Amino acid sequence: MQVRRRTVPPVVAARWALWAFVVANLAIVEVLFLNAGTGKNGVLTVAKFFGLHAAVLMLFQLLLVARLPWLDRRIGMDRLTAWHRWVGFTLLWTLLTHAVLVVLGFARLDDASMVKTFFALAGVPASLLGMLAAALVVVVASVSTRKVRRRLRYETWHGVHLLLYVALGLAFVHQLQETTTFTSSAFAKIYWWALWLFAFGALVTGRIVMPLWRNAYHRFHVTAVVPESDDVVSVHVTGRHLDRLPARAGQFCIWRFPGHHHWWLANPFSLSAAPDGRTLRLTAKAVGSASAGLRHIPVGSRAFVEGPYGAFTSLHRTRPGALLIAGGVGITPVRALLEEEPGGDVVVLYRVRSEHDAVLVDEVRALVADRGGELHLLTGRTGEGSTPFEPDGLRALVPDIAERDVYVCGPPAMTSAVLGALRGLKVPHRQVHAERFGLA
């Protein structure tokens, strides 16, 4: 792994760039709002203020899920997805505030009740479009709450979540017909259209154009399917010009195998071997129908690959020494990272219930041995008193842990426990690298 010598970590630089972009556009919106004059009354002026900021939040949502390579490799899809979630709930309350204030403002203007005003506005096409957009956002937000989300299959939740794009379209037309702020000057019109075109362009490029182009160019197909154990399988994929695919050890792709499952069903699997310009390898444990069926994919089958994605790479290395912590099948990106490790000061902690469950352990052991590192296979169940990821346990295994970069990949509970222990051990935040997969 290459140790970064720059003073500003890539993730910090990316965050500064992203938030600077957001703040700059918010400032422009504020100036245009002030220059556009007031509404028909004070309440409607405030309603317009919230409406404009709801529009900016919508645009920001598009950027967060556009899967732009520069942001994804530095910040990580997991963090971008988490921000997307919280911005989404902020958007919900901003839209509801805007809607309530619009009804209240017109009710005061017409000296009518809010109920009567609501139905009157529903009879106006421009207002109705805004109401429908807000209703769809409410539906999506409702199924995205943790309590409801846990009870839904990912495919069901994702199908409902796609309604947000319908809401965005309705909201865009609503803005064209209702907003006066961005028709107040030629600059305002050009700015507003450019902002929307940029956001939609980023989304379409990152989510549609780039995946289609890469798959047409590389023509991915399966070359081997290798059972690693009773419930673990590796799939080897090759294609044209793979040396030009910008993949790094530690990253993951979103995989589809036409004919193996429905086209809308996709799974994020890490690369379990460092990309060598000739083949890609994923290794998966059978935890669902999609992953369980991978061992039955015929050799020669086409593969549709999105990515690579993720910031779990050596781009973020800051120290000569490395500690790689994996749990279960989370060993796959760690095993790939080991191939980039030049040797010497590397320690691997591999947490499994039993040695029989240690996926790819022979490969990991050989890579660690070749590099003169240490491998600790930590077996047992946490509930049975085995707690190697408490601060004292980590310090005993790796006394100089605070002087190392620490990479963590495993089940959510294990990852949270390790991150908590690292905070207790005062490991600098910039030296801790963990990624939780999350699709949006």
Side-chain angles (χ1 to χ4, degrees):
M1 295 185 187
Q2 183 178 3
V3 179
R4 179 183 50 79
R5 300 295 183 185
R6 288 162 288 176
T7 56
V8 180
V11 63
V12 174
R15 286 178 177 175
W16 284 355
L18 182 61
W19 291 114
F21 175 82
V22 173
V23 170
N25 281 283
L26 280 175
I28 295 173
V29 169
E30 302 285 353
V31 172
L32 293 176
F33 169 76
L34 293 173
N35 289 337
T38 59
K40 297 178 180 180
N41 59 31
V43 176
L44 288 175
T45 300
V46 178
K48 182 170 69 169
F49 176 86
F50 278 95
L52 292 173
H53 286 75
V56 174
L57 287 172
M58 288 181 181
L59 295 171
F60 190 34
Q61 285 285 73
L62 293 179
L63 289 180
L64 289 175
V65 296
R67 296 177 186 169
L68 300 176
W70 191 83
L71 285 178
D72 178 80
R73 291 170 190 167
R74 287 160 177 79
I75 296 177
M77 188 186 291
D78 59 333
R79 292 182 180 89
L80 293 171
T81 301
W83 294 352
H84 172 79
R85 172 182 171 82
W86 289 112
V87 172
F89 284 112
T90 304
L91 171 63
L92 169 67
W93 293 112
T94 304
L95 277 176
L96 292 178
T97 302
H98 167 69
V100 171
L101 289 175
V102 166
V103 176
L104 178 60
F106 278 105
R108 289 188 176 182
L109 193 66
D110 300 332
D111 195 22
S113 69
M114 291 188 66
V115 174
K116 183 178 179 180
T117 302
F118 174 83
F119 285 106
L121 289 173
V124 180
S127 299
L128 180 60
L129 290 174
M131 292 177 179
L132 292 174
L136 290 176
V137 172
V138 170
V139 170
V140 174
S142 298
V143 301
S144 297
T145 57
R146 296 190 186 280
K147 185 175 182 180
V148 177
R149 175 70 183 87
R150 290 193 189 102
R151 300 187 179 187
L152 296 177
R153 293 182 59 194
Y154 171 78
E155 292 76 19
T156 303
W157 171 83
H158 187 253
V160 176
H161 201 77
L162 291 177
L163 291 174
L164 277 179
Y165 295 110
V166 179
L168 282 168
L170 294 173
F172 180 68
V173 178
H174 167 73
Q175 291 172 59
L176 291 179
Q177 298 185 6
E178 289 282 9
T179 301
T180 58
T181 300
F182 296 104
T183 58
S184 59
S185 69
F187 171 78
K189 289 181 181 179
I190 294 172
Y191 165 76
W192 196 233
W193 276 101
L195 200 59
W196 276 92
L197 287 174
F198 173 74
F200 273 112
L203 182 75
V204 172
T205 300
R207 300 293 293 266
I208 299 175
V209 175
M210 189 175 293
L212 289 176
W213 181 86
R214 278 184 175 165
N215 280 272
Y217 180 70
H218 293 296
R219 296 184 184 178
F220 300 105
H221 60 274
V222 178
T223 57
V225 178
V226 181
E228 304 289 354
S229 68
D230 293 340
D231 58 352
V232 177
V233 63
S234 291
V235 179
H236 299 250
V237 173
T238 191
R240 301 188 310 163
H241 311 301
L242 287 192
D243 56 316
R244 299 181 183 178
L245 182 70
R248 301 185 64 150
Q251 290 190 300
F252 68 96
C253 296
I254 299 172
W255 307 80
R256 290 180 175 87
F257 297 95
H260 163 60
H261 246 298
H262 300 296
W263 65 267
W264 60 85
L265 298 178
N267 292 91
F269 295 121
S270 293
L271 299 174
S272 59
D276 58 7
R278 299 184 302 276
T279 61
L280 304 173
R281 185 180 78 167
L282 70 93
T283 301
K285 186 174 183 178
V287 294
S289 58
S291 53
L294 289 176
R295 65 178 58 237
H296 303 301
I297 296 176
V299 172
S301 299
R302 287 297 300 272
F304 190 89
V305 182
E306 289 183 55
Y309 301 122
F312 195 75
T313 69
S314 60
L315 176 67
H316 303 278
R317 282 292 296 272
T318 65
R319 310 291 293 180
L323 169 61
L324 311 178
I325 303 177
V329 78
I331 192 65
T332 53
V334 167
R335 185 253 179 247
L337 284 171
L338 278 170
E339 290 190 81
E340 288 190 352
E341 185 64 44
D345 203 6
V346 58
V347 178
V348 178
L349 306 183
Y350 187 7
R351 174 67 163 163
V352 287
R353 292 183 178 180
S354 66
E355 190 165 352
H356 175 74
D357 297 316
V359 179
L360 305 177
V361 67
D362 291 335
E363 294 183 15
V364 172
R365 186 176 285 117
L367 286 168
V368 172
D370 287 345
R371 284 148 183 77
E374 299 178 35
L375 169 64
H376 298 275
L377 191 61
L378 310 175
T379 60
R381 295 174 180 267
T382 301
E384 297 172 349
S386 178
T387 55
F389 296 135
E390 290 185 348
D392 290 342
L394 285 175
R395 187 187 291 110
L397 290 168
V398 192
D400 62 345
I401 189 171
E403 301 300 320
R404 297 174 177 269
D405 275 296
V406 184
Y407 285 77
V408 186
C409 187
M414 188 209 85
T415 301
S416 297
V418 172
L419 295 180
L422 294 176
R423 287 192 294 270
L425 292 169
K426 309 290 188 204
V427 179
H429 180 71
R430 66 181 179 276
Q431 295 171 211
V432 178
H433 318 288
E435 191 163 49
R436 298 178 175 91
F437 295 157
L439 301 181

